[in-house]
Amino acid sequence: MGRYIAKRILYIMVVFVLLTFMLFSLYRLMPANRAYTDAKAEIQALKNSIPASERDTKFDELYLKYQRMYGTDTDNTVILYLRWLGVYPYYNGKCNGIFQGNFGHSYEYNAPVLQVLAPCLRNSMLIGAFSEVFILIITIPLGINCAVKRNTPFDRGVQAFSLIGFSTPSFIIYICFILLFSSILGWFPVSGMKTPGSDYHGAKFVMDTLWHITLPAICLIFSGLAYNIRITRASMLDALSLDCIRTARAKGLSQRTVIYTHAWRNALIPLVSVFVGGFFGIIGGAIFMESMFGFKGMGLLLFNSTKTADYDMIMFIQVIYVFIGLVANLVTDLCYGLVDPRVRISK
Amino acid sequence: MSNKSKKHENIFRKLARWFVRVFMGLKYEEKWFPRESKGEDQDKKPDDSEFIVSPGRQAFNSYMERKFAVVAFIVVIVMFLIVFIVPNFMPKYSDSYTEVTLKNLPPNLTMMSVPKELKNDIKMIDSYGSFSVGLSNAGKVYVWGCKKLGASGMDVEVPEEYQDIKMAMVAAGVDHVIAIGEDGKIYGWGSDRFGQYGRSANSIESSTIEAMPEELYENGVDVAHVKKLTCGYQATAILMDDGTIYVWGNKQTYSNMNNFIGRTDIYDVDFTLNYIVGLDSKRSNVYTGTRGLYDMARTKIGGKATKMFEFLNGRKIDEITATTSSVCLLLDDGSIALAGDFVADSIEVPTLAAGEEFVDIKAGNYHYTALTNLGNVYSFGGDHYYQAEAPANIGKVAKIFTGAFQSYAVDANGDYMSAWGFRGFPLGSDDVGANILERMIVGGRITMTVGAVAVIIEILIGVTLGCISGYYGGWVDILIMRVAEVFSSLPTIPIMLILTSLIAQMSLTTNQRLFMIMCVLGVLGWPGFANITRAQILVARESEYVTAAQAMGVREGKIAFKHILPNIVSVILVSMTLSFAAAMQTETGLSFLGFGVNYPQPSWGNMLTKASNATAAKNFWWQWVFTSAILIFVGVCINTIGDTIRDVMDPKSSSER
């Protein structure tokens, strides 16, 4: 097992480097030159103190200084990438990259990327984990019940709901919910994370925040139901048609034991990747929900960064996505081993 | 047996039988289309297991048994045909069409429906935007069209307290109505935010609003001597016989309003969208108070313009009437002169027969309708809503009236004869005044094209790589599957967002951009197809039926095409349907966020962007409800088709369920 994990981690590292290098090269094509803008800004500030004749040489000097500072004093993409990773030294002989904790600089917020990103990541993960747990609590029993009571009116109803829900883009669900709960009933605020102009502390702050994030959470849960019900029901149906279930029934085991112990264990195998994917997906945030509610999470951050062409930020978020994707794959495979003994034996 | 008789079945009979089965059920089908061989079948009906039916036929038959799925299939096909064929029959449609006077209008088809009570008693009709006002000879005012205005939520129906007052004249602006009573009092209703009527504190204080003159407000006018009452965008003018003119309203729209205030030598007046145009007592040029405006005249829309002075050559102007950007002058010799700009799709001025001359001319927002001394009616000018295509043979017309996009012909008794022009938007208009139904159809074409092309790209990449992977195995297989794994583990929407924002940085035409989006969608979606294809090929290579076929000496090529391929195709078909729905949804989502298809190109996604604003979503429900409904409906249908195909293809499910 240990060897297997080590192998997988090695593989992850290789893919990670390859993918990030590809992305890095892609972003190199974008017209963003921080050294140039900074040098330009400084020369503007110094405009009056130096004579016009020296301005060009001074600018070149400054430009070089900033290029060296930001490590862009070469056109070699590989070197730039290695500097970005933090394994190739800058002009001053020091490494300053991801391995040293420098994830880039956000132009938009004029702050280190990590500093801007951390609270967003926290928000996204909190609401995402909360709603993901709720989704599972609702959909697993519902999916199992539907599969067991196949073709009853109950199942038909749930199936119709999940078909419509599955075919509805999530933002339409959000529009309807905002309209119903905020505009018409007025129970929740339309958007935002705190009452504008308020400066609450302690319990009041918590209450205010809860009041603001209830509707986003409900929306997130609701939009996740359909897909999960569909997939749970489908894999449970497959599991129920297995021969081992017939055998279990023939043995005279109780319905409960047959369904929850025998069938569910089998149904879980294809579901593992969905569940793991769901939990890792929360790190990416929910773009539609966050952009519609103005919820400060990863999705909104990415959305705004792409709108304002904040490349360091986008690059880092992208790196996170790639990393999460790879780790999620590993975790999924490990979970397969957990729920499926056959996989465990074969490794 | 029964198969044989079916083979001889006429195609039309077959279609009719399907139709009956789909919409009326199996019972009627058996009743109306009895199987010819039924009699001999009955006694020796073979057992199910003795039938040799190919898997494809079996799946097709069981698909046809599911009514809902068949309906879904027909719906999707019809939808496809609609979105790909109907745009060819919308010659007036343009992606970037905007119309300021028709913004945010609810679904309404009554813009040309003159109320029944008014039809035999028409005194005058006027309109500037989405609603029209009419006055009967009895002095009663009627309003029709979109009475609740989208932009301001204002109701322009005649207020309760004014309903019993006998009116002498009435005119409508874009969101207000001004009426002069028989008593000379001036009544206004609708919006007064820009001083359209009344003397609110705001209108007196504001420097961009000219309030209604005080003497007019207090005492009214002498009705007998009112020459003309006309309304502009958010302004009104009353012209008296003696040349005195009263103008009030939004000065931001009509910047030359000051030039008319206090004048006593005005002969005629009208409003374009941005200027007040008038005739002074000399009647030899268009007076706007601004140099260089409307000083070149021509007789035809496409004709050569000459200086007004030279053009008139001593003739006097009798009447001036204006659309939003042009003016039409009726000269004292019965001919007309045009000045200003006309929209591209304008209908040319008709050439009159000898002895026929124009006696009256009225203007809508883009078109003119003219009446000749023989009682003939001609329309010309902007024709976007077919408002400049007057029907032939109306009869002898005595009076003509125009709405903003409509024309009405009235006979000598004041009886309604005919109307032509714009009925209204069946599904409302959006925030720039474009027809939502038209945009929905064209948007559907774009959304479905994006979905379809994306799926085709997915299939091309996925199936090819899957085949290679499954066929060769070894390190090629491992490599491809690892790459597929990485691709499928990336979160779709965020990555898509990043890639489309990169595309946005490139300088591409809209169609290239669209194609790039399709490519991005396709390139990110292929791993699913690769996985299925690979799995199917692996299974097929090992399966017993292939071994059996090999043992029977069937040729390799035949095994590949007759045995393995159909199995893969069926699975790919399912995946394709579901992927199509998913690709459509992804495109809609991206466009909704503003990253996929951008305005002015419509897509079902970017038509919903405005609805993310809660207030807009609530007030202008028609701007998102219909589009969302069609989106969900098509999604449900496609997913149903996919689910059903999967069910009928699955031998396990068909035997059990």
Side-chain angles (χ1 to χ4, degrees):
Chain A
M1 198 69 181
R3 211 171 138 233
Y4 173 72
I5 293 175
K7 219 165 85 184
R8 284 300 299 264
I9 288 175
L10 197 72
Y11 157 75
I12 284 180
M13 275 158 63
V14 171
V15 173
F16 180 78
V17 168
L18 279 177
L19 265 180
T20 47
F21 180 68
M22 266 166 58
L23 293 171
F24 192 85
S25 316
L26 206 59
Y27 280 102
R28 283 263 298 143
L29 300 173
M30 293 302 117
N33 192 339
R34 192 173 162 210
Y36 186 83
T37 28
D38 282 8
K40 203 84 188 162
E42 191 164 336
I43 207 87
Q44 285 293 326
L46 293 172
K47 207 172 179 178
N48 298 327
S49 58
I50 45 171
S53 55
E54 286 173 27
R55 220 170 273 165
D56 278 349
T57 47
K58 179 75 184 163
F59 175 76
D60 289 343
E61 215 172 274
L62 277 173
Y63 186 36
L64 194 64
K65 188 191 104 187
Y66 277 111
Q67 275 192 324
R68 284 173 176 166
M69 202 164 116
Y70 299 139
T72 51
D73 52 336
T74 169
D75 271 336
N76 190 334
T77 311
V78 179
I79 294 181
L80 286 172
Y81 173 69
L82 291 178
R83 277 183 175 163
W84 177 79
L85 269 186
V87 292
Y88 190 90
Y90 275 54
Y91 182 73
N92 59 8
K94 279 181 193 155
C95 291
N96 184 16
I98 284 189
F99 293 142
Q100 283 77 31
N102 173 16
F103 292 95
H105 185 90
S106 162
Y107 304 98
E108 189 60 23
Y109 300 89
N110 200 17
V113 161
L114 204 59
Q115 191 184 322
V116 180
L117 193 122
C120 296
L121 188 60
R122 196 193 55 214
N123 286 343
S124 265
M125 286 178 75
L126 274 178
I127 196 165
F130 175 76
S131 53
E132 192 66 29
V133 167
F134 256 87
I135 288 173
L136 294 189
I137 290 177
I138 296 171
T139 55
I140 290 177
L142 212 56
I144 292 176
N145 260 316
C146 283
V148 173
K149 297 174 187 163
R150 196 176 61 204
N151 288 339
T152 56
F154 169 74
D155 175 42
R156 293 251 163 86
V158 175
Q159 256 196 298
F161 163 80
S162 69
L163 179 63
I164 293 171
F166 182 67
S167 312
T168 311
S170 56
F171 57 87
I172 294 180
I173 298 177
Y174 303 153
I175 293 173
C176 296
F177 270 58
I178 294 178
L179 211 59
L180 180 65
F181 290 110
S182 298
S183 287
I184 295 172
L185 296 174
W187 291 352
F188 299 108
V190 174
S191 70
M193 286 192 75
K194 63 172 196 151
T195 310
S198 68
D199 190 20
Y200 297 133
H201 292 286
K204 221 170 171 192
F205 172 78
V206 173
M207 289 308 291
D208 189 54
T209 310
L210 274 182
W211 184 55
H212 276 83
I213 66 168
T214 311
L215 189 58
I218 292 175
C219 285
L220 215 50
I221 293 170
F222 197 82
S223 61
L225 289 182
Y227 176 67
N228 277 288
I229 291 177
R230 256 171 86 89
I231 206 131
T232 312
R233 179 182 178 274
S235 59
M236 192 65 190
L237 270 183
D238 283 346
L240 281 173
S241 65
L242 288 174
D243 290 340
C244 65
I245 302 300
R246 201 183 313 151
T247 315
R249 288 225 166 98
K251 277 199 297 189
L253 293 180
S254 72
Q255 173 81 343
R256 180 184 290 266
T257 321
V258 170
I259 288 164
Y260 289 97
T261 314
H262 293 244
W264 174 240
R265 278 300 294 277
N266 278 304
L268 201 57
I269 298 168
L271 289 181
V272 159
S273 65
V274 177
F275 292 164
V276 173
F279 268 104
F280 275 92
I282 64 177
I283 299 173
I287 291 186
F288 293 109
M289 184 279 282
E290 286 169 14
S291 64
M292 287 191 73
F293 283 97
F295 183 92
K296 289 197 189 67
M298 289 287 282
L300 188 63
L301 185 67
L302 175 64
F303 180 73
N304 288 337
S305 303
T306 42
K307 286 245 149 167
T308 54
D310 193 352
Y311 290 114
D312 275 19
M313 184 67 92
I314 305 174
M315 181 72 204
F316 184 55
I317 296 178
Q318 185 116 321
V319 167
I320 294 183
Y321 284 149
V322 171
F323 189 69
I324 291 168
L326 294 171
V327 173
N329 260 340
L330 174 63
V331 175
T332 310
D333 283 353
L334 292 181
C335 287
Y336 275 138
L338 220 64
V339 297
D340 191 354
R342 287 167 297 187
V343 175
R344 227 167 5 208
I345 290 161
S346 71
K347 270 163 194 160
Chain B
M1 287 187 303
S2 73
N3 256 355
K4 224 175 195 176
S5 70
K6 251 187 204 165
K7 251 177 207 163
H8 294 299
E9 203 173 29
N10 184 329
I11 180 84
F12 294 106
R13 194 180 148 81
K14 196 169 196 169
L15 283 176
R17 192 162 57 77
W18 283 358
F19 184 84
V20 168
R21 177 187 283 187
V22 168
F23 290 104
M24 305 172 77
L26 214 63
K27 211 173 82 189
Y28 284 94
E29 191 209 2
E30 301 230 313
K31 200 164 144 198
W32 292 350
F33 301 94
R35 308 229 166 141
E36 283 137 32
S37 52
K38 206 176 178 184
E40 55 187 89
D41 258 9
Q42 256 169 359
D43 41 354
K44 47 174 184 174
K45 196 171 186 179
D47 193 54
D48 254 12
S49 54
E50 280 176 33
F51 261 129
I52 299 176
V53 182
S54 74
R57 177 145 203 107
Q58 162 104 46
F60 179 76
N61 288 346
S62 37
Y63 187 94
M64 278 313 194
E65 274 163 26
R66 300 176 190 222
K67 231 186 264 181
F68 190 52
V70 175
V71 172
F73 186 72
I74 292 172
V75 164
V76 171
I77 294 296
V78 167
M79 208 68 99
F80 247 104
L81 292 179
I82 288 177
V83 300
F84 282 97
I85 293 174
V86 172
N88 300 325
F89 297 98
M90 304 194 311
K92 306 279 184 189
Y93 173 82
S94 138
D95 279 350
S96 45
Y97 176 81
T98 61
E99 175 51 57
V100 68
T101 55
L102 297 175
K103 284 193 291 188
N104 296 326
L105 296 181
N108 186 315
L109 284 175
T110 62
M111 285 193 197
M112 211 165 60
S113 322
V114 180
K116 228 191 307 167
E117 301 87 348
L118 185 62
K119 272 198 171 167
N120 302 319
D121 195 23
I122 301 172
K123 189 175 176 191
M124 63 192 298
I125 294 172
D126 191 30
S127 149
Y128 199 85
S130 55
F131 66 95
S132 304
V133 291
L135 183 67
S136 68
N137 285 315
K140 189 160 170 50
V141 177
Y142 297 89
V143 183
W144 64 93
C146 287
K147 295 180 198 173
K148 281 247 194 299
L149 297 183
S152 53
M154 186 60 71
D155 192 350
V156 291
E157 185 54 84
V158 187
E160 201 74 4
E161 65 267 30
Y162 296 164
Q163 276 190 359
D164 298 330
I165 299 170
K166 215 164 138 55
M167 300 295 183
M169 282 176 140
V170 68
V174 75
D175 54 5
H176 72 295
V177 181
I178 297 287
I180 304 178
E182 294 280 3
D183 54 0
K185 275 237 160 63
I186 292 165
Y187 304 95
W189 62 90
S191 165
D192 66 345
R193 250 168 22 107
F194 296 99
Q196 286 97 323
Y197 61 89
R199 284 181 68 79
S200 62
N202 171 39
S203 67
I204 295 167
E205 282 160 21
S206 170
S207 62
T208 58
I209 293 174
E210 180 66 30
M212 197 164 151
E214 197 166 357
E215 75 267 24
L216 219 58
Y217 183 64
E218 299 292 342
N219 310 323
V221 288
D222 183 1
V223 184
H225 291 111
V226 175
K227 187 174 176 187
K228 189 169 187 179
L229 163 70
T230 178
C231 284
Y233 188 77
Q234 280 160 336
T236 311
I238 293 179
L239 182 66
M240 308 299 289
D241 275 343
D242 62 358
T244 312
I245 185 166
Y246 304 100
V247 210
W248 67 93
N250 188 348
K251 263 203 246 184
Q252 269 179 320
T253 325
Y254 294 104
S255 53
N256 65 343
M257 193 180 281
N258 281 345
N259 299 323
F260 283 84
I261 293 166
R263 295 286 292 247
T264 53
D265 59 342
I266 301 294
Y267 184 76
D268 200 356
V269 70
D270 206 349
F271 292 93
T272 67
L273 191 62
N274 304 98
Y275 295 100
I276 308 176
V277 289
L279 296 176
D280 54 18
S281 48
K282 289 201 290 287
R283 290 159 59 195
S284 62
N285 65 341
V286 178
Y287 176 75
T288 56
T290 313
R291 285 170 72 94
L293 272 172
Y294 307 118
D295 60 349
M296 303 284 275
R298 54 192 194 264
T299 46
K300 296 272 181 186
I301 294 171
K304 197 173 168 304
T306 44
K307 281 245 182 308
M308 185 66 78
F309 179 74
E310 289 165 24
F311 181 88
L312 290 176
N313 199 10
R315 292 177 291 184
K316 295 272 185 208
I317 304 170
D318 267 351
E319 204 181 311
I320 185 168
T321 170
T323 62
T324 53
S325 61
S326 67
V327 298
C328 183
L329 308 169
L330 185 62
L331 308 183
D332 56 1
D333 64 350
S335 66
I336 57 168
L338 304 169
D341 309 320
F342 285 84
V343 284
D345 62 348
S346 290
I347 299 247
E348 189 53 91
V349 181
T351 312
L352 295 188
E356 194 174 10
E357 53 184 50
F358 291 114
V359 293
D360 192 11
I361 186 150
K362 290 268 162 58
N365 280 14
Y366 293 96
H367 74 292
Y368 294 99
T369 296
L371 180 68
T372 64
N373 54 353
L374 302 181
N376 290 333
V377 176
Y378 300 98
S379 284
F380 55 94
D383 193 37
H384 190 271
Y385 297 107
Y386 302 99
Q387 69 266 47
E389 290 176 20
N393 314 322
I394 307 175
K396 195 159 166 57
V397 178
K399 274 195 280 184
I400 48 169
F401 299 106
T402 53
F405 303 94
Q406 302 83 13
S407 300
Y408 306 90
V410 174
D411 70 5
N413 305 328
D415 283 357
Y416 169 89
M417 293 172 79
S418 176
W420 59 98
F422 182 46
R423 289 176 185 286
F425 297 112
L427 298 183
S429 68
D430 66 6
D431 60 326
V432 294
N435 189 338
I436 287 186
L437 180 64
E438 285 181 355
R439 281 185 82 78
M440 233 159 89
I441 292 171
V442 178
R445 187 178 62 179
I446 291 177
T447 301
M448 285 190 169
T449 312
V450 170
V453 175
V455 170
I456 290 170
I457 296 175
E458 279 176 27
I459 291 176
L460 284 181
I461 303 178
V463 173
T464 315
L465 289 182
C467 281
I468 294 171
S469 185
Y471 190 79
Y472 289 103
W475 65 269
V476 180
D477 179 29
I478 294 174
L479 182 72
I480 291 175
M481 282 303 107
R482 290 285 120 153
V483 173
E485 195 181 279
V486 170
F487 266 89
S488 58
S489 62
L490 295 173
T492 324
I493 290 277
I495 296 291
M496 215 78 91
L497 214 67
I498 293 164
L499 289 181
T500 43
S501 78
L502 288 181
I503 291 173
Q505 297 291 327
M506 306 175 194
S507 51
L508 298 172
T509 64
T510 37
N511 281 331
Q512 284 171 332
R513 227 181 91 84
L514 205 61
F515 183 69
M516 286 297 277
I517 290 165
M518 297 174 196
C519 289
V520 168
L521 281 166
V523 166
L524 285 179
W526 65 268
F529 283 100
N531 279 327
I532 313 167
T533 316
R534 175 178 170 272
Q536 283 298 313
I537 286 188
L538 286 183
V539 169
R541 283 177 72 85
E542 303 299 319
S543 63
E544 283 147 11
Y545 67 87
V546 173
T547 321
Q550 276 168 338
M552 280 165 75
V554 183
R555 277 180 292 114
E556 276 290 320
K558 203 174 176 189
I559 293 176
F561 283 96
K562 265 255 148 103
H563 297 259
I564 299 183
L565 193 68
N567 281 290
I568 300 177
V569 164
S570 67
V571 180
I572 289 174
L573 204 66
V574 176
S575 203
M576 189 181 85
T577 331
L578 300 178
S579 291
F580 178 57
M584 259 174 63
Q585 261 196 29
T586 316
E587 184 278 327
T588 347
L590 278 178
S591 305
F592 174 77
L593 289 175
F595 284 90
V597 182
N598 288 129
Y599 183 85
Q601 257 186 329
S603 104
W604 285 346
N606 70 19
M607 287 175 70
L608 295 171
T609 308
K610 292 291 177 328
S612 59
N613 177 334
T615 333
K618 191 179 171 190
N619 292 342
F620 310 139
W621 56 268
W622 59 90
Q623 291 180 354
W624 64 276
V625 166
F626 298 118
T627 318
S628 305
I630 198 85
L631 189 55
I632 296 171
F633 185 60
V634 170
V636 167
C637 287
I638 296 173
N639 282 324
T640 309
I641 295 172
D643 285 355
T644 314
I645 297 179
R646 182 169 47 202
D647 278 0
V648 300
M649 293 286 185
D650 189 356
K652 234 185 334 189
S653 63
S654 56
S655 63
E656 269 189 25
R657 277 162 217 173

